[in-house]
């Protein structure tokens, strides 16, 4: 679609052209011809990679209007804080401390925080180099290709929908606990439905609709509201930590490992949910005034601070209350009741509700921007890429994520949502670390075949050894001997890559100690994935299978048409991107 023609068109339009403008979908005959050419088109997509210039210069045209550059490092810091704090610490801490980790939940948070910080470093380098709204989707499309980017895109959208739905249901649980000490008070039980999907939650749906309505009104307004709210949250968190330690008992910390080391890492895989949200902030790069300065400060600084806060909060909970007495649904509120501070229950619940609301606001912004960039590439209909000329926000994309997450929130329980969310998020973060290694060690125009083979071999050794180690941990076979062998192979693979010549240096800001930190990020994310139950993997595989069906019948043809149309019309000029990117930076 040419920008000139869009000037006379209303934002609110619903024609077939807006949803499926590609040649393959013109009529039944063209679609049958496209299906007949699926194999060669799939081969083309498997080998196709985007470029910095295409993501920065070409794809944003599909939105017709630019997003407003209005965010600074201060905004990003509090957006990250507001998105992360409240999206898990008030939700799954009690569940995992009670059922899997016991007092050692603090070590679960430390392990997950370390892994999250490594992932945040990878996101930061990409977001500084390629400051677009697509976040991990754009970064993976550039380095790992169109097909793997689609796999990531599907999981990004799954993560967004499940994360928002989980927050909505958690908000409902906390509010119900305040009203009547019953987390299911506002839910409607339907006995004929499958367990885990039999508690309808209309309040969660209402919360999602309101939060998304606020977020779509404007980026700057939502940012100011977020950081003002987050300052209050910080004060209440300080109160929780201090009171928890003052009223804590050392005896509550014994036994420290009631479920063993295995329980600690199983809990770490789930409480990783508490750290998610910073990737949403990476999608704000297109709206950041000075990405090269603001993104590193906002992302890395906030994640370091949040890790310390989470460890202190989880430790204060298990010192206040014996882990067997922790309430699974509203841990902190009920904990204050158990130590005789009933009034504090309401303060904590209000803080939790406000934290979750802030997370919903930022999450809505990030989800919509992910969806916008995915739509710009035509992997989903470009109708969802449009940016409203007055608000400067992607209203259509926000409506899509809002409606879908509301449907999920209405039916699905928290334990079902948290396991699916964790595995999807860990998978994307693992791919991001691989993509960073590819970006540093491979350049399509200068890397020879021999060098490419060595890079691929090292990557396969790193990923393969980490996956085998995670599988051994999950199956509990071979014990420490198997873990040691897998770790040694991982070390040798990373060491081998460290001797290879780097093909590209970061333009402004880069991850230190490459390849060691990205390789460690691959290993920790796969290890945490291996700590999840088999049920989570089955749900993940089923969702991925549905994504592949959509890709083979729709996305592969849409992206093929757009790619070859763009190449025929103007190509992808990397040199042009360099100048534009430097201007942005």
């Amino acid at each position: 679609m040419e920008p000139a023609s869009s000037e006379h068109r209303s934002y609110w339009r619903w024609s077939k052209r807006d949803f499926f403008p590609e040649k393959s979908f013109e009529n039944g005959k063209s679609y049958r011809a496209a299906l007949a050419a699926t194999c060669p088109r799939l081969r083309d997509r498997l080998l196709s990679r985007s470029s910095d210039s295409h993501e920065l210069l070409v794809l944003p045209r599909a939105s017709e209007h630019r997003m407003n550059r209005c965010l600074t490092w201060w905004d990003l810091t509090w957006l990250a804080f507001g998105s992360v704090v409240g999206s898990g610490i008030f939700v799954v801490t009690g569940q995992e401390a009670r059922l899997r980790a016991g007092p050692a939940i603090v070590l679960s948070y430390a392990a997950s925080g370390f892994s999250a910080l490594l992932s945040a470093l990878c996101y930061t380098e990409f977001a500084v180099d390629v400051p677009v709204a697509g976040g991990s989707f754009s970064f993976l499309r550039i380095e790992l290709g169109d097909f793997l980017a689609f796999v990531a895109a599907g999981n990004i959208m799954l993560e967004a929908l499940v994360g928002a739905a989980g927050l909505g249901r958690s908000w409902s649980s906390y509010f119900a606990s305040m009203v009547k000490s019953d987390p299911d008070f506002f839910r409607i039980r339907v006995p004929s439905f499958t367990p885990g999907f039999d508690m309808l939650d209309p309040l969660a749906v209402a919360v999602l609709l309101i939060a998304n309505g606020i977020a779509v009104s404007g980026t700057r307004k939502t940012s100011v509201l977020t950081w003002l709210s987050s300052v209050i949250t910080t004060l209440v968190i300080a109160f929780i930590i201090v009171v928890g330690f003052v009223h804590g008992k050392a005896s509550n910390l014994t036994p420290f490992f009631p479920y063993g080391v295995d329980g600690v890492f199983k809990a770490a895989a789930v409480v990783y949910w508490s750290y998610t949200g910073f990737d949403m902030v990476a999608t704000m790069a297109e709206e950041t005034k000075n990405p090269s300065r603001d993104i590193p400060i906002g992302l890395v600084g906030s994640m370091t601070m949040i890790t310390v806060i989470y460890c202190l909060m989880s430790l204060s909970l298990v010192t206040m209350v014996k882990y067997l007495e922790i309430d699974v649904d509203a841990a902190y509120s009920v904990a204050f009741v158990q130590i005789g501070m009933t009034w504090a229950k309401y303060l904590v619940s209000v803080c939790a509700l406000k934290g979750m609301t802030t997370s919903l606001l930022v999450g809505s912004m990030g989800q919509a921007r992910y969806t916008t960039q995915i739509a710009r590439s035509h992997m989903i209909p470009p109708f969802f890429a449009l940016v409203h000329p007055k608000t400067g926000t992607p209203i259509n994309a926000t409506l899509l994520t809002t409606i879908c997450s509301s449907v999920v929130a209405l039916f699905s329980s928290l334990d079902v949502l948290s396991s699916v969310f964790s595995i999807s998020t860990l998978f994307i973060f693992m791919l991001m670390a691989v993509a960073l290694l590819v970006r540093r060690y491979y350049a399509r125009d200068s890397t020879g075949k021999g060098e490419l083979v060595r890079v691929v071999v090292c990557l396969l050794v790193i990923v393969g050894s980490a996956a085998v180690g995670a599988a051994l941990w999950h199956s509990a076979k071979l014990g420490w001997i198997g873990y040691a062998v897998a770790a040694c192979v991982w070390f040798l693979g990373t060491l081998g890559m460290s001797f290879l010549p780097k093909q590209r240096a970061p333009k402004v800001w880069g991850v230190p100690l490459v390849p060691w930190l990205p390789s460690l990020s691959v290993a920790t994310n796969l290890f945490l994935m291996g700590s999840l139950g088999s049920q989570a993997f089955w749900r993940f595989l089923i969702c991925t299978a549905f994504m592949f069906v959509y890709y083979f019948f729709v996305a592969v043809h849409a992206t093929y048409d757009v790619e070859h149309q763009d190449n025929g019309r103007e190509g992808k000029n990397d040199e042009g991107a360099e100048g534009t990117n430097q201007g942005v930076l």
Side-chain angles (χ1 to χ4, degrees):
M1 183 184 302
E2 293 297 330
S5 64
S6 67
E7 292 177 3
H8 305 289
R9 306 190 69 200
S10 168
Y11 183 84
W12 306 107
R13 55 188 194 253
W14 312 88
S15 69
K16 176 181 176 292
R17 173 189 172 192
D18 298 305
F19 285 87
F20 295 103
E22 302 85 11
K23 183 178 179 180
S24 293
F25 303 102
E26 285 182 352
N27 50 53
K29 182 179 179 180
S30 63
Y31 183 60
R32 287 192 295 272
L35 289 179
T38 296
C39 289
R41 289 186 172 197
L42 182 59
R43 188 184 311 115
D44 177 270
R45 296 293 82 206
L46 286 170
L47 298 176
S48 174
R49 297 170 69 204
S50 185
S51 64
D52 293 10
S53 66
H54 193 67
E55 300 296 317
L56 283 166
L57 302 177
V58 178
L59 289 189
R61 297 174 189 169
S63 295
E64 298 184 359
H65 300 91
R66 286 282 185 176
M67 297 183 188
N68 299 324
R69 288 193 175 275
C70 56
L71 301 177
T72 66
W73 67 267
W74 176 264
D75 298 298
L76 294 180
T77 299
W78 289 110
L79 282 170
F81 187 90
S83 177
V84 175
V85 177
S87 64
I89 187 68
F90 293 110
V91 176
V92 296
T93 304
Q95 171 185 299
E96 298 307 306
R98 173 79 175 267
L99 303 177
R100 291 186 177 88
I105 186 68
V106 62
L107 300 182
S108 300
Y109 270 106
S112 291
F114 177 70
S115 180
L117 184 59
L118 293 177
S119 297
L121 291 172
C122 297
Y123 269 87
T124 301
E125 177 172 329
F126 273 113
V128 169
D129 276 2
V130 192
V132 293
S136 54
F137 168 73
S138 293
F139 310 149
L140 294 175
R141 195 161 180 254
I142 291 170
E143 300 304 334
L144 300 185
D146 200 76
F147 179 74
L148 279 178
F150 171 80
V151 175
N155 282 279
I156 287 167
M157 298 193 74
L158 177 64
E159 172 193 352
L161 301 182
V162 170
L167 274 173
R169 288 189 73 97
S170 299
W171 199 102
S172 174
S173 291
Y174 258 90
F175 187 68
S177 297
M178 287 177 63
V179 174
K180 201 179 177 182
S181 298
D182 177 9
D184 294 327
F185 180 64
F186 292 107
R187 291 173 182 150
I188 303 169
R189 181 179 295 276
V190 183
S192 60
F193 286 7
T194 303
F197 303 90
D198 58 344
M199 298 291 289
L200 304 187
D201 199 336
L203 179 59
V205 174
V207 170
L208 286 170
L209 293 175
I210 294 171
N212 282 271
I214 296 172
V216 81
S217 65
T219 300
R220 184 59 185 168
K221 294 177 183 176
T222 307
S223 174
V224 172
L225 180 62
T226 298
W227 71 256
L228 288 174
S229 177
S230 297
V231 170
I232 300 173
T233 301
T234 304
L235 296 176
V236 178
I237 286 174
F239 168 80
I240 293 172
I241 294 171
V242 171
V243 172
F245 287 134
V246 169
H247 290 268
K249 299 177 183 178
S251 59
N252 287 336
L253 297 177
T254 54
F256 193 72
F257 294 99
Y259 303 102
V261 177
D262 183 56
V264 173
F265 286 103
K266 285 183 177 178
V270 177
V271 302
Y272 200 91
W273 186 13
S274 303
Y275 288 99
T276 57
F278 70 84
D279 55 320
M280 297 296 177
V281 177
T283 67
M284 309 293 175
E286 193 171 315
E287 297 161 273
T288 302
K289 292 180 178 178
N290 188 350
S292 62
R293 180 198 66 187
D294 298 338
I295 293 175
I297 296 175
L299 271 179
V300 179
S302 61
M303 287 306 297
T304 303
M305 175 177 62
I306 289 167
T307 300
V308 174
I309 288 174
Y310 277 2
C311 290
L312 292 175
M313 284 188 71
S314 59
L315 185 59
S316 70
L317 175 65
V318 293
T319 56
M320 252 197 306
V321 181
K322 192 74 175 176
Y323 73 94
L324 291 173
E325 300 173 3
I326 293 175
D327 184 270
V328 173
D329 292 298
Y332 288 92
S333 295
V334 177
F336 276 98
V337 173
Q338 290 173 310
I339 64 172
M341 297 180 64
T342 305
W343 63 270
K345 160 189 171 180
Y346 300 101
L347 178 63
V348 174
S349 293
V350 169
C351 177
L353 290 174
K354 190 184 61 57
M356 293 175 202
T357 303
T358 305
S359 295
L360 283 170
L361 288 172
V362 182
S364 174
M365 295 169 66
Q367 294 154 17
R369 282 145 186 80
Y370 268 132
T371 304
T372 298
Q373 193 74 357
I374 294 170
R376 285 171 174 174
S377 71
H378 288 236
M379 285 191 181
I380 62 175
F383 171 81
F384 299 107
L386 298 177
V387 172
H388 197 277
K390 291 184 179 179
T391 64
T393 58
I395 294 180
N396 292 343
T398 304
L399 289 174
L400 175 67
T401 57
T402 301
I403 293 170
C404 293
S405 60
S406 296
V407 172
V408 175
L410 182 63
F411 294 99
S412 304
S413 65
L414 180 59
D415 60 334
V416 172
L417 293 171
S418 61
S419 61
V420 175
F421 184 89
S422 292
I423 193 170
S424 180
T425 303
L426 290 167
F427 176 71
I428 294 169
F429 288 175
M430 182 273 293
L431 288 180
M432 280 293 296
V434 172
L436 183 65
L437 291 172
V438 172
R439 187 171 181 83
R440 291 292 193 94
Y441 288 94
Y442 172 74
R444 72 189 78 181
D445 297 326
S446 59
T447 303
K449 289 186 178 180
E451 292 177 341
L452 175 60
V453 170
R454 286 190 286 271
V455 170
V456 171
V457 168
C458 288
L459 285 173
L460 290 175
V461 171
I462 290 169
V463 175
S465 59
V468 169
L472 290 174
W473 175 266
H474 179 71
S475 63
K477 293 180 180 179
L478 299 181
W480 291 103
I481 295 177
Y483 309 147
V485 171
C488 288
V489 174
W490 169 85
F491 177 83
L492 292 175
T494 309
L495 182 65
M497 178 162 274
S498 69
F499 288 118
L500 298 178
K502 291 187 175 70
Q503 300 294 322
R504 188 183 309 179
K507 298 172 184 175
V508 180
W509 188 95
V511 176
L513 300 177
V514 174
W516 294 99
L517 290 187
S519 179
L520 187 58
S521 180
V522 171
T524 54
N525 284 307
L526 284 173
F527 182 79
L528 291 174
M529 286 177 68
S531 299
L532 292 168
S534 58
Q535 195 176 30
F537 279 90
W538 280 114
R539 291 168 181 157
F540 173 75
L541 291 174
I542 291 171
C543 292
T544 302
F546 278 107
M547 296 172 196
F548 283 156
V549 171
Y550 171 82
Y551 186 73
F552 294 142
F553 284 94
V554 180
V556 68
H557 307 295
T559 55
Y560 178 88
D561 287 346
V562 172
E563 174 79 9
H564 288 273
Q565 174 184 312
D566 285 344
N567 281 341
R569 186 170 58 200
E570 60 187 318
K572 297 177 181 179
N573 188 347
D574 281 323
E575 294 179 3
E578 291 294 327
T580 300
N581 200 27
Q582 293 303 318
V584 169
L585 299 176

